[in-house]
C-alpha cells in the first residue's frame, strides 16, 4: 500500500518507519526542512512509562481558580476569541473526574508499556544515539498530604503493572543528593526505577536518517500540504502540495497541533488544542554533583529535570493561550523556580524554548481510522507524552493499517 504520512515530528517519523518496516511504500511530508522542529524539538526528555496520569484529574479543577490568580502558577489561561479553545476547556473540565481519569490512566499505561517494549526491540536492531539512559525517575513532593495522595495513586498503578516506591525525605536524598537544595520543603518522593530519558529531537533525527536509507520511503521535507483530492467524496486519491500531487492509497495525519486544520479540509474534526510548554537546556559538566543523575519531577511546580548527556533538560508550565511565542516573564519565573531548588545551576547559559503540545481533553491520543475518510488515519494528540508513547502508537497504527493482530485494545484511542 502507498501511504502518505503528514508530519515529521517524533509521531510522524516513528509512524513512517514502522509502516515502511511492514512493507508499505511511504511518503513522509512536512512543511519544515528538518524533522523534529515543533513539539519534538526540546521537550522534557523523560520516557515516563509508569507515570502517565492525564492532566485532567479530579484535583485539577479546584486548583484552577488559585492558579489563575497567581503569577507563579504552573498553568496560565488566556481567553481568546476562539471557539476551539472554549470547547476544549469545557471538554477538559468534564473529564476532570475520578472515573474518567482512572480509565484514561489505564489506557495510557497500556500504550506506554507497549511503547517501552517496542522501543527496546527497536534499539536492539537500530543503534540510535540519542543520549538514552535508564536511570529511573523521582516525583518529589513538597506537601506531606499530597505525598499520601500519591501513595494511593501508586497502589492503583501497581494493579496496572507499575513498580514504584514511596520514599520519605531522607530516603529521597540518599538516592539523589542533588535534591538537597530543596531543604525542609522536601516531603518525599515516588521512585520508579524502570523509567528512562533521552533527547527526543536526536531520536527523531536518528530514525529519520534510517528512513532516508530505506528503498520504500520518500522523504519530502520542505513541502507544504495544500489540500486533498477525493473524487468519490470518501477516499483520498492524492495529497496536493505546494509543488505537486502525491498519489496515495492512504493518508496518516501525524501533524501535531496542525492536525485539526488539515482534518477540517476533509470535513472532520479532532479535539486537539495546543498547550504551550517551556524548556531550558543547560550545559553541565560530567560528574557535577549539583545536577541530578536520576530524572526528577517537581510535582507541585510541574517542573521536570532530565540529564541528557552533556546537558540538563528542564521543562515546565502549561499556557493555554493559543500562541507559540516565548513569554519573557514566564521564562524568568521558570528560572527563578529552578534556582530555588537547584541554586548551583548556571542558568545564564540556559537556552530557552517554547513548544505547543497537541493535547486532547482526556489526555488520550487519537490513533486509528478517521470518520472523515475511508482511507484517512490519525496518530495525534499525545500532549506531553509524545516521546513516551511514540513507538507504541506507531506500532498500534501499523497493526491497524496492515490488518494485523492488535497489540492492545485500541477502542479507547479511536478518533
Amino acid at each position: 500500500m502507498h501511504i502518505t504520512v503528514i508530519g515529521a515530528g517524533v509521531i510522524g517519523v516513528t509512524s513512517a518507519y514502522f509502516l515502511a518496516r511492514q512493507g508499505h511504500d511511504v511518503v513522509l511530508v512536512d512543511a519544515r526542512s528538518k524533522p523534529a522542529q515543533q513539539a519534538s524539538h526540546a521537550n522534557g526528555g523523560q520516557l515516563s512509562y509508569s507515570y502517565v496520569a492525564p492532566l485532567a484529574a479530579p484535583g485539577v479543577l479546584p486548583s484552577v481558580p488559585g492558579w489563575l490568580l497567581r503569577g507563579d502558577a504552573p498553568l496560565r489561561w488566556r481567553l481568546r476569541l476562539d471557539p476551539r479553545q472554549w470547547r476544549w476547556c469545557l471538554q477538559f473540565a468534564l473529564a476532570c473526574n475520578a472515573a474518567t481519569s482512572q480509565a484514561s490512566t489505564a489506557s495510557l499505561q497500556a500504550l506506554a508499556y507497549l511503547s517501552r517494549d517496542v522501543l527496546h526491540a527497536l534499539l536492539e536492531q537500530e543503534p540510535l544515539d540519542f543520549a538514552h539512559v535508564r536511570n529511573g525517575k523521582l516525583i518529589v513532593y513538597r506537601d506531606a498530604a499530597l505525598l499520601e495522595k500519591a501513595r494511593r495513586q501508586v497502589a492503583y498503578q501497581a494493579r496496572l503493572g507499575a513498580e514504584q516506591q514511596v520514599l520519605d525525605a531522607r530516603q529521597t536524598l540518599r538516592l539523589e543528593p542533588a535534591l538537597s537544595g530543596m531543604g525542609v520543603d522536601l516531603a518525599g518522593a515516588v521512585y520508579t526505577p524502570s523509567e528512562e530519558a533521552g533527547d527526543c529531537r536526536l531520536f527523531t533525527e536518528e530514525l529519520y536518517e534510517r528512513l532516508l536509507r530505506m528503498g520504500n520511503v520518500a522523504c519530502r521535507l520542505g513541502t507544504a500540504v495544500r489540500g486533498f483530492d477525493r473524487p468519490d467524496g470518501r477516499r483520498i486519491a492524492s495529497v496536493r502540495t505546494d509543488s505537486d500531487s502525491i498519489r496515495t492509497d492512504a493518508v496518516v495525519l501525524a501533524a501535531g497541533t496542525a492536525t485539526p486544520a488539515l482534518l477540517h479540509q476533509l470535513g472532520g474534526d479532532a479535539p486537539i488544542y495546543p498547550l504551550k510548554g517551556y524548556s531550558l537546556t543547560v550545559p553541565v559538566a560530567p560528574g557535577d554533583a549539583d545536577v541530578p543523575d536520576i530524572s526528577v519531577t517537581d510535582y507541585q511546580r510541574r517542573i521536570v529535570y532530565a540529564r541528557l548527556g552533556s546537558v540538563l533538560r528542564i521543562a515546565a508550565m502549561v499556557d493555554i493561550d493559543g500562541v507559540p511565542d516565548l513569554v519573557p516573564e514566564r521564562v524568568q519565573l521558570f528560572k527563578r523556580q529552578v534556582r530555588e531548588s537547584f541554586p548551583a545551576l548556571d542558568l545564564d547559559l540556559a537556552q530557552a524554548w517554547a513548544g505547543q503540545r497537541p493535547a486532547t481533553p482526556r489526555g488520550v491520543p487519537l490513533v486509528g481510522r478517521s470518520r472523515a475518510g475511508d482511507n484517512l488515519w490519525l496518530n495525534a494528540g499525545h500532549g506531553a507524552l509524545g516521546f513516551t508513547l511514540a513507538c507504541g502508537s506507531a506500532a498500534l497504527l501499523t497493526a491497524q493499517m496492515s490488518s494485523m493482530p492488535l497489540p492492545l485494545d485500541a477502542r479507547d484511542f479511536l478518533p
Side-chain angles (χ1 to χ4, degrees):
M1 186 161 57
H2 293 271
I3 301 173
T4 304
V5 177
I6 301 173
V10 68
I11 301 300
V13 168
T14 52
S15 298
Y17 177 83
F18 284 103
L19 286 166
R21 278 266 302 268
Q22 192 58 34
H24 300 290
D25 295 314
V26 176
V27 179
L28 178 66
V29 183
D30 196 295
R32 292 158 191 85
S33 59
K34 296 179 181 179
Q37 293 301 294
Q38 295 296 101
S40 303
H41 191 70
N43 67 15
Q46 292 184 346
L47 290 162
S48 183
Y49 301 115
S50 294
Y51 197 86
V52 292
L55 180 61
V60 170
L61 288 185
S63 302
V64 169
W67 284 344
L68 295 179
L69 294 173
R70 281 171 42 203
D72 62 347
L75 183 146
R76 188 183 72 156
W77 180 52
R78 290 292 180 267
L79 181 64
R80 295 171 56 84
L81 294 175
D82 181 359
R84 291 192 313 119
Q85 184 195 59
W86 306 343
R87 184 184 64 173
W88 190 93
C89 289
L90 175 59
Q91 292 173 326
F92 175 82
L94 293 173
C96 289
N97 61 79
T100 300
S101 179
Q102 286 198 351
S104 298
T105 298
S107 297
L108 290 168
Q109 197 104 72
L111 184 58
Y113 287 159
L114 171 65
S115 198
R116 177 192 60 194
D117 295 343
V118 172
L119 174 63
H120 290 175
L122 169 64
L123 296 179
E124 290 179 0
Q125 303 170 27
E126 300 276 13
L128 305 178
D129 183 8
F130 60 104
H132 181 226
V133 288
R134 302 184 184 185
N135 58 348
K137 175 178 174 178
L138 283 163
I139 303 172
V140 299
Y141 291 85
R142 301 167 181 269
D143 183 286
L146 286 176
L147 182 62
E148 283 305 305
K149 183 178 178 182
R151 192 184 299 274
R152 295 193 293 273
Q153 180 71 15
V154 166
Y156 172 69
Q157 293 190 169
R159 299 199 297 270
L160 303 175
E163 296 181 3
Q164 299 172 305
Q165 306 166 31
V166 180
L167 309 178
D168 61 24
R170 185 175 59 181
Q171 292 170 318
T172 302
L173 290 175
R174 188 181 302 132
L175 190 62
E176 183 47 82
L179 291 169
S180 60
M182 294 183 68
V184 296
D185 288 340
L186 179 63
V190 173
Y191 175 49
T192 311
S194 60
E195 300 291 65
E196 307 172 16
D199 190 310
C200 183
R201 177 182 61 82
L202 292 179
F203 172 82
T204 307
E205 291 176 346
E206 286 271 304
L207 201 59
Y208 177 76
E209 288 297 318
R210 302 311 191 273
L211 287 176
L212 294 176
R213 303 174 197 168
M214 299 174 75
N216 59 333
V217 177
C219 295
R220 300 280 302 277
L221 270 61
T223 302
V225 172
R226 299 303 184 195
F228 305 90
D229 294 317
R230 292 196 297 180
D232 65 358
R234 288 297 303 169
R235 294 186 63 82
I236 300 170
S238 61
V239 178
R240 284 183 277 110
T241 75
D242 50 8
S243 59
D244 61 1
S245 290
I246 303 168
R247 295 190 62 80
T248 192
D249 298 318
V251 172
V252 175
L253 296 185
T257 57
T259 298
L262 292 167
L263 194 56
H264 182 71
Q265 296 185 40
L266 296 163
D269 194 12
I272 295 173
Y273 195 77
L275 304 187
K276 184 167 61 184
Y278 295 80
S279 77
L280 301 171
T281 302
V282 187
V284 295
D288 189 338
D290 297 315
V291 179
D293 286 321
I294 299 174
S295 293
V296 172
T297 295
D298 184 336
Y299 179 80
Q300 270 105 318
R301 292 184 171 174
R302 303 299 198 271
I303 301 177
V304 303
Y305 302 81
R307 190 166 189 159
L308 308 175
S310 61
V311 303
L312 179 67
R313 177 67 49 73
I314 313 169
M317 300 183 178
V318 175
D319 283 2
I320 307 177
D321 59 8
V323 296
D325 306 330
L326 275 168
V327 179
E329 58 265 30
R330 293 289 273 173
V331 176
Q332 292 307 312
L333 167 64
F334 185 10
K335 289 183 176 181
R336 186 172 74 248
Q337 291 178 333
V338 171
R339 285 192 179 102
E340 290 173 358
S341 300
F342 295 92
L345 282 180
D346 186 359
L347 298 185
D348 292 335
L349 301 176
Q351 181 177 358
W353 174 84
Q356 292 185 305
R357 309 170 182 125
T360 65
R362 289 181 54 225
V364 177
L366 308 175
V367 185
R369 192 193 302 270
S370 169
R371 297 175 184 173
D374 294 339
N375 60 343
L376 177 65
W377 301 77
L378 301 186
N379 192 4
H382 297 73
L385 294 171
F387 191 20
T388 295
L389 302 177
C391 287
S393 298
L396 177 60
L397 179 76
T398 298
Q400 290 171 315
M401 296 186 70
S402 306
S403 300
M404 299 162 54
L406 301 185
L408 51 73
D409 188 341
R411 286 175 293 182
D412 203 30
F413 306 101
L414 294 177

